[in-house]
């Protein structure tokens, strides 16, 4: 199991995006590895309670010997209800995920979700058209928009250059 290369942020103590991607290595030489379950093992001290589970597609996928494959994990509020932190203070959230497989003991990985104020830039994740977990960054406008509709600046990064467009 490898550390995720990016994680979504909390915005004002709330879950903004639900997906994380964790690369799983099958280091066995001849057996396929199947991730059977993902759960949280430790509650956060901030009062925010999240659960984690595999997406439906990842429950049915096996990892070949010697391969690495990212699994998609869905974060949700426990009991399906959004919760606010008790003190109203934005604080980072540490989650310990337990990953169960068909081979060997369960593995644990700690992840930290940063808490960002609404006025700060934040990272978010989303499912792309190919069902892979991708990430982006956003920030609210620095001034209010007189018409109530704010323009959007979209910046794309490709393999050869940056592109920016106003909408």
């Amino acid at each position: 199991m490898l550390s995720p290369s990016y994680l979504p942020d909390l915005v004002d103590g709330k879950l903004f995006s639900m997906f994380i991607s964790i690369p799983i290595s099958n280091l066995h030489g001849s057996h396929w590895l199947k991730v059977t379950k993902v759960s949280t093992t430790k509650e956060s001290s901030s009062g925010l309670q999240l659960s984690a589970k595999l997406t439906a597609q990842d429950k049915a996928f096996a990892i070949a010997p010697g391969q690495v494959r990212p699994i998609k994990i869905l974060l949700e509020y426990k009991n399906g209800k959004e919760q606010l932190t008790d003190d109203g203070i934005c604080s980072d959230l540490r989650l310990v995920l337990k990953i169960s497989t068909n081979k060997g003991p369960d593995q644990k990985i700690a992840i930290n979700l940063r808490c960002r104020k609404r006025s700060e830039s934040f990272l978010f994740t989303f499912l792309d058209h190919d069902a892979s977990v991708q990430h982006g960054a956003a920030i609210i406008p620095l001034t209010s928009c007189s018409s109530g509709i704010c323009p959007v600046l979209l910046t794309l990064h490709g393999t050869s250059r940056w592109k920016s467009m106003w909408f």
Side-chain angles (χ1 to χ4, degrees):
M1 185 169 18
L2 304 169
S3 294
S5 55
Y6 50 85
L7 292 168
D9 291 328
L10 302 171
V11 180
D12 282 341
K14 296 178 185 176
L15 188 60
F16 187 82
S17 48
M18 304 179 304
F19 295 100
I20 59 174
S21 177
I22 296 183
I24 303 291
S25 302
N26 182 357
L27 301 178
H28 198 279
S30 60
H31 294 102
W32 285 69
L33 179 71
K34 184 175 179 183
V35 176
T36 56
K37 184 179 178 183
V38 174
S39 59
T40 53
T41 63
K42 186 177 180 183
E43 296 298 324
S44 74
S45 59
S46 70
L48 187 64
Q49 296 182 358
L50 298 178
S51 63
K53 65 180 184 180
L54 286 171
T55 61
Q57 299 89 354
D58 283 5
K59 287 181 182 176
F61 196 89
I63 304 167
Q67 299 296 306
V68 176
R69 179 181 182 270
I71 59 167
K72 293 183 289 289
I73 297 173
L74 181 64
L75 297 176
E76 298 176 315
Y77 290 105
K78 285 200 175 182
N79 303 323
K81 295 181 182 178
E82 181 178 307
Q83 302 130 0
L84 297 175
T85 55
D86 296 334
D87 51 13
I89 296 173
C90 188
S91 60
D92 293 354
L93 175 64
R94 179 180 164 89
L95 284 176
V96 178
L97 300 177
K98 181 171 78 169
I99 299 177
S100 304
T101 66
N102 62 335
K103 303 285 183 196
D106 294 343
Q107 299 290 315
K108 292 182 182 178
I109 184 169
I111 61 169
N112 292 303
L113 303 180
R114 286 187 317 175
C115 190
R116 308 291 283 173
K117 295 178 184 169
R118 184 176 161 91
S119 60
E120 298 176 309
S121 63
F122 62 92
L123 300 177
F124 62 94
T125 57
F126 59 94
L127 287 183
D128 204 352
H129 70 283
D130 63 355
S132 64
V133 177
Q134 299 297 321
H135 68 288
I139 188 167
I140 64 168
L142 298 176
T143 60
S144 62
C145 305
S146 58
S147 67
I149 299 173
C150 298
V152 174
L153 172 66
L154 174 64
T155 302
L156 303 173
H157 180 267
T159 57
S160 62
R161 65 185 116 163
W162 285 83
K163 293 183 180 185
S164 296
M165 296 173 270
W166 282 98
F167 291 96

